[in-house]
Amino acid sequence: MTDFEITPQLIADHGITDEEYARILELTGREPTYTELGIWSAMWNEHCSYKSSKKWLKTLPTTGKRVVHGPGENAGVVDIDDGETIIFKMESHNHPSYIEPYQGATTGVGGILRDVFTMGARPIAVMNALRFGDPDHPKTRHVASGVVAGVGGYGNSFGVPTVGGEVEFHPSYNGNCLVNAFAAGLADIDKIFLSEAKGVGMPIVYLGAKTGRDGVGGATMASAEFDDSIEEKRPTVQVGDPFTEKRLLEATLELMKTGAVNAIQDMGAAGLTCSAVEMGAKGNLGVHLDLDLVPVREDNMTAYEMMLSESQERMLMVLNPAKQAEAEAVFKKWELDFAVVGHTTDTLRFEVFHKGEKVADLPIKDLGDEAPEYDRPWLETPASIRIKPADIPVLQNPVEALAELMGSPNQCSRRWVYEQYDTLIQGNTKQGPGGDAGVIRVLDETGRRKHLPTQKGLAFSVDVTPRYCKADPFEGGKQAVAECWRNISATGALPLAATDNLNFGNPERPEIMGQFVGCIKGIGAACKALEFPIVSGNVSLYNETNGEAILPTPAIGGVGLLTDVSLAMTIPFKNRNDVVLLVGGHGNEMGQSVYLQHFFDREEGSPPPVDLAKEKSNGDYIRSIILNRQINACHDISQGGLGLALADMCVSSGKGCVVDLGDEDAHIALFAEDQARYIVTCHPDQVQSVTDMATTAGVNVIPLGTVAGDTLKVTGVGTISVAQLKNAHEEWFPSYMAG
């Protein structure tokens, strides 16, 4: 295996430490070839091996009565009754999207869609959680515009509705945006395809688009922080083609019906290397690859480039040889490549040949199973001091201030964003972006209702409040889960399971690792208490530039089940004279609040603690009164508190309300961000039954007022017109992006 010299600098350039290289020499028994060095680098980098996070990820609850497949496959699989499953996952494309916003975002969407349909599911919904720098930063508008265009350009062309998401601005993301993509698909429970290879001598087949040089080293790039040489990394960004992906989807699902698929794996991070190694290692088999048989679109590609290319729209399959002709005909019909590029062996070796030469011969299990697992030192985040309500500065007219808050970068309407996405394609969207959660009808592939006379639905939400996570990682992790669970409950759906996308800075810094550990502990506690297991996910570390880390951002994406989608609840007020009720009582937690941040430029204090028992009881109560048809509007209370939630309900309906805060201090009652709370409305005839049920359930429900007029009026405090709120809410984003 002739090759050029492996130098210390070359090893360092591959992100391999001296200790790791010593272990590689021990496992290999010799110095690696250049191609082998690239393979080790790809398999042992942070993005693929989770070497800094594995220890803590193992502590998360991942099982439950509805969990069919948890972490370890391409995506999580959850039972939704009637022999059906929902398959979903969220993952990041942060570094590529900052370097090349449009292509970084498109390939993020494409990759997560492949994770879903690789398992046999037809994608039915996508979401995204996007975080950009300070609006005044010179690069923010460019990055935001490119990312949003990329998300829409791929998802719209592929043909899957965007049903929800988040967009947030903060200076910590100035040099490192976050693009977290979520996808979900439907599959029958007896037609799920896994990645574990089975059988010796089985053909290994390359499927989809041709291999190019785009994305070479992408996984390694995603496992390092940025510095001033960021533009030099542009060649590591992949280029996506949604129309090829659409053909790959249809060809793959058709292929799966032939019985030809023994195992199948998306070519994502580290491309051909990771997919081949994972399939073989899971099955306790060896893999023999001949790169001369790999379809390429560029001349004179080296073995190193072919093994590490992250060209998009590609899959790898272990084939039932009796079905080869039938399988190949499917891909020929869809004008996609189908090439037998190797076979499984009983050697437990990963052998790669190129131009008649063996360029790699490595122990396949060690590439994955022997990847480093670090117990990195961590420092617990110092406790923040609770800010007492008496110490909160008072605005002269907190009701009029709602207009300013509704028009601020982080609280204004995201219509400019989601109107660039197709939210209705496939025709199954019951509720798109703008509500507490997106809701999709469950239909079969022909578009027919499966569950007459009622029809099942699925609710989707993605949530996290990074300021909370920085101030108190444990409570912030709990709150991210609780808010996702609460948003799903607010539609009437039963929360089933979650996926996480854990975005943090450099784990080699003990304070950053402490943020990660604290958030994981909080997420685990909340998932356990709320019976909301983590079934899939992604860890994205080294999100920092020149030593400046992002806020800890553990985004939680969740799925809930509605047995009758017609009962799905929405935010807008419905009828004048309806009674407005506050579920969960008044709040007084102002630490890390939007109120302090926006009006006084203060990000300080401890975040609101999450009482998980109260979260569970209040959410269970909300779902019961929705399914009993006792209420006609519901909105969870989160950032911005009661005041912003009321303003949302006014603006979305065009109707006003009159509320009375009693003896509460108005600025505290309106803007406190205490958890486990909702606003609901009901017909006056239903008030007694709603409050009686609350008493039985041990839930605090307070009458606030009525739906009336065209202003938001807080008795004795102030009044503001719904029109003024709406104008402020809708103005900022389009004005900023036109700037």
Side-chain angles (χ1 to χ4, degrees):
M1 293 188 289
T2 59
D3 221 321
F4 54 82
E5 183 183 3
I6 304 298
T7 66
Q9 185 60 52
L10 188 64
I11 294 166
D13 288 344
H14 280 75
I16 297 172
T17 68
D18 291 343
E19 294 78 9
E20 289 169 354
Y21 188 66
R23 180 62 176 151
I24 287 169
L25 292 178
E26 182 183 337
L27 292 170
T28 310
R30 55 175 168 77
E31 184 178 83
T33 66
Y34 179 54
T35 300
E36 288 176 335
L37 185 69
I39 291 170
W40 283 113
S41 169
M43 293 304 300
W44 280 20
N45 66 47
E46 195 72 60
H47 194 75
C48 294
S49 73
Y50 295 132
K51 58 190 176 186
S52 295
S53 57
K54 275 190 291 191
K55 168 184 167 67
W56 297 102
L57 295 177
K58 292 173 184 175
T59 68
L60 292 172
T62 58
T63 60
K65 61 183 179 181
R66 288 183 176 270
V67 177
V68 180
H69 291 287
E73 280 297 333
N74 284 295
V77 184
V78 176
D79 189 342
I80 59 169
D81 299 329
D82 307 300
E84 295 175 309
T85 65
I86 185 72
I87 299 180
F88 62 97
K89 186 184 179 185
M90 183 162 55
E91 66 178 23
S92 60
H93 230 225
N94 303 334
H95 286 59
S97 298
Y98 190 77
I99 297 169
E100 176 43 67
Y102 184 88
Q103 291 298 347
T106 64
T107 50
V109 175
I112 198 64
L113 286 167
R114 284 195 304 282
D115 280 337
V116 167
F117 71 74
T118 299
M119 297 193 70
R122 179 172 292 276
I124 60 164
V126 293
M127 297 189 293
N128 51 79
L130 312 177
R131 284 180 164 80
F132 306 115
D134 189 315
D136 293 332
H137 188 272
K139 196 167 181 178
T140 296
R141 187 182 286 108
H142 163 72
V143 173
S145 177
V147 165
V148 170
V151 169
Y154 206 100
N156 297 352
S157 301
F158 179 84
V160 61
T162 299
V163 300
E166 289 189 299
V167 181
E168 188 172 57
F169 298 88
H170 190 277
S172 77
Y173 306 106
N174 281 349
N176 201 124
C177 67
L178 299 186
V179 176
N180 293 175
F182 170 102
L186 290 172
D188 290 341
I189 199 166
D190 59 350
K191 296 181 177 66
I192 295 167
F193 291 82
L194 306 179
S195 56
E196 178 186 332
K198 297 177 182 176
V200 176
M202 296 293 107
I204 296 174
V205 182
Y206 174 112
L207 305 169
K210 288 179 168 55
T211 293
R213 290 188 172 94
D214 52 321
V216 173
T220 300
M221 178 269 292
S223 302
E225 59 189 271
F226 285 153
D227 54 28
D228 292 331
S229 66
I230 183 173
E231 289 301 321
E232 298 174 12
K233 294 172 178 166
R234 188 174 297 273
T236 63
V237 179
Q238 312 95 319
V239 177
D241 178 358
F243 300 106
T244 297
E245 179 113 334
K246 173 64 172 173
R247 287 186 287 128
L248 182 59
L249 162 72
E250 300 299 343
T252 301
L253 295 184
E254 187 174 336
L255 173 74
M256 288 169 170
K257 294 176 181 177
T258 67
V261 179
N262 173 306
I264 191 164
Q265 174 76 37
D266 162 45
M267 282 196 227
L272 189 56
T273 290
C274 196
S275 55
V277 170
E278 286 188 0
M279 292 174 77
K282 282 182 182 179
N284 291 311
L285 295 168
V287 166
H288 173 112
L289 291 182
D290 185 347
L291 298 184
D292 296 339
L293 304 175
V294 171
V296 294
R297 54 180 161 81
E298 298 186 47
D299 294 333
N300 301 316
M301 288 190 70
T302 66
Y304 179 98
E305 290 171 328
M306 294 171 75
M307 291 305 297
L308 298 187
S309 167
E310 294 183 8
S311 294
Q312 297 294 286
E313 294 86 44
R314 302 181 303 158
M315 319 268 269
L316 201 65
M317 173 182 71
V318 178
L319 172 73
N320 175 352
K323 298 284 187 177
Q324 180 170 339
E326 189 176 355
E328 189 167 3
V330 170
F331 272 72
K332 184 176 181 180
K333 182 184 78 172
W334 287 101
E335 299 180 344
L336 293 166
D337 281 297
F338 179 103
V340 177
V341 295
H343 59 268
T344 59
T345 71
D346 61 0
T347 64
L348 288 178
R349 304 294 294 180
F350 185 48
E351 300 173 291
V352 182
F353 293 81
H354 185 230
K355 296 183 177 178
E357 181 183 2
K358 183 184 282 190
V359 294
D361 184 357
L362 299 171
I364 196 166
K365 297 285 284 186
D366 293 340
L367 282 167
D369 296 348
E370 289 296 322
E373 181 174 331
Y374 293 126
D375 184 4
R376 294 202 184 275
W378 58 278
L379 292 175
E380 187 168 350
T381 301
S384 300
I385 298 173
R386 181 177 183 267
I387 299 179
K388 298 175 183 178
D391 295 333
I392 300 296
V394 180
L395 292 175
Q396 185 174 2
N397 192 322
V399 176
E400 289 184 0
L402 279 170
E404 182 181 340
L405 202 57
M406 287 285 279
S408 64
N410 282 333
Q411 309 307 324
C412 71
S413 169
R414 270 55 184 139
R415 187 182 306 276
W416 182 91
V417 175
Y418 64 71
E419 283 191 344
Q420 297 189 52
Y421 306 151
D422 194 329
T423 61
L424 299 174
I425 196 165
Q426 298 185 8
N428 300 332
T429 304
K430 172 71 172 175
Q431 179 172 310
D436 282 328
V439 179
I440 290 287
R441 303 176 188 90
V442 176
L443 303 181
D444 66 16
E445 290 186 13
T446 67
R448 298 192 181 105
R449 292 188 179 189
K450 280 190 171 184
H451 308 287
L452 292 171
T454 62
Q455 183 181 327
K456 283 193 306 193
L458 292 165
F460 305 94
S461 184
V462 56
D463 299 280
V464 65
T465 307
R467 291 191 318 281
Y468 293 178
C469 294
K470 183 176 183 181
D472 186 330
F474 180 71
E475 290 297 335
K478 284 165 61 180
Q479 192 273 342
V481 174
E483 186 175 351
C484 182
W485 190 89
R486 193 162 61 240
N487 277 324
I488 291 169
S489 294
T491 68
L494 174 67
L496 300 182
T499 181
D500 57 18
N501 205 147
L502 309 174
N503 308 274
F504 292 82
N506 184 344
E508 297 167 47
R509 293 166 55 193
E511 67 275 18
I512 298 295
M513 196 64 205
Q515 293 175 349
F516 182 85
V517 172
C519 285
I520 285 285
K521 289 182 176 181
I523 290 168
C527 287
K528 184 176 180 180
L530 299 175
E531 299 174 18
F532 199 43
I534 299 288
V535 297
S536 59
N538 172 255
V539 178
S540 176
L541 302 177
Y542 297 94
N543 287 290
E544 54 183 82
T545 299
N546 293 325
E548 292 295 320
I550 62 164
L551 291 177
T553 311
I556 302 295
V559 176
L561 175 65
L562 279 155
T563 54
D564 183 350
V565 76
S566 70
L567 298 179
M569 191 53 58
T570 58
I571 289 175
F573 292 140
K574 304 300 187 300
N575 311 300
R576 300 194 187 279
N577 300 317
D578 277 350
V579 177
V580 181
L581 302 168
L582 172 60
V583 176
H586 284 294
N588 60 11
E589 294 292 340
M590 299 293 286
Q592 298 298 326
S593 64
V594 167
Y595 179 86
L596 279 180
Q597 181 199 40
H598 178 78
F599 294 115
F600 303 101
D601 196 26
R602 290 168 56 183
E603 289 185 19
E604 59 187 65
S606 58
V610 181
D611 182 331
L612 292 170
K614 182 183 288 187
E615 199 74 62
K616 181 77 163 60
S617 62
N618 290 7
D620 291 348
Y621 165 75
I622 285 291
R623 291 195 305 278
S624 68
I625 58 176
I626 291 173
L627 299 183
N628 288 340
R629 304 174 188 264
Q630 292 170 280
I631 62 172
N632 48 40
C634 181
H635 190 11
D636 92 301
I637 297 174
S638 54
Q639 291 194 65
L642 172 64
L644 209 64
L646 285 169
D648 282 343
M649 299 178 87
C650 289
V651 166
S652 60
S653 65
K655 297 178 174 65
C657 64
V658 179
V659 299
D660 191 335
L661 301 177
D663 297 330
E664 303 289 326
D665 291 332
H667 67 294
I668 302 294
L670 287 174
F671 297 107
E673 297 184 5
D674 298 60
Q675 302 294 292
R677 298 191 300 154
Y678 307 77
I679 302 171
V680 301
T681 66
C682 66
H683 189 275
D685 292 346
Q686 289 283 1
V687 173
Q688 190 63 53
S689 65
V690 168
T691 54
D692 286 348
M693 282 188 65
T695 300
T696 301
V699 173
N700 185 13
V701 173
I702 300 172
L704 279 183
T706 58
V707 178
D710 56 7
T711 64
L712 195 170
K713 179 179 179 180
V714 180
T715 303
V717 180
T719 302
I720 189 166
S721 73
V722 174
Q724 187 178 347
L725 289 171
K726 184 170 184 177
N727 289 340
H729 193 50
E730 297 289 347
E731 182 179 2
W732 185 85
F733 226 118
S735 297
Y736 172 71
M737 295 309 297

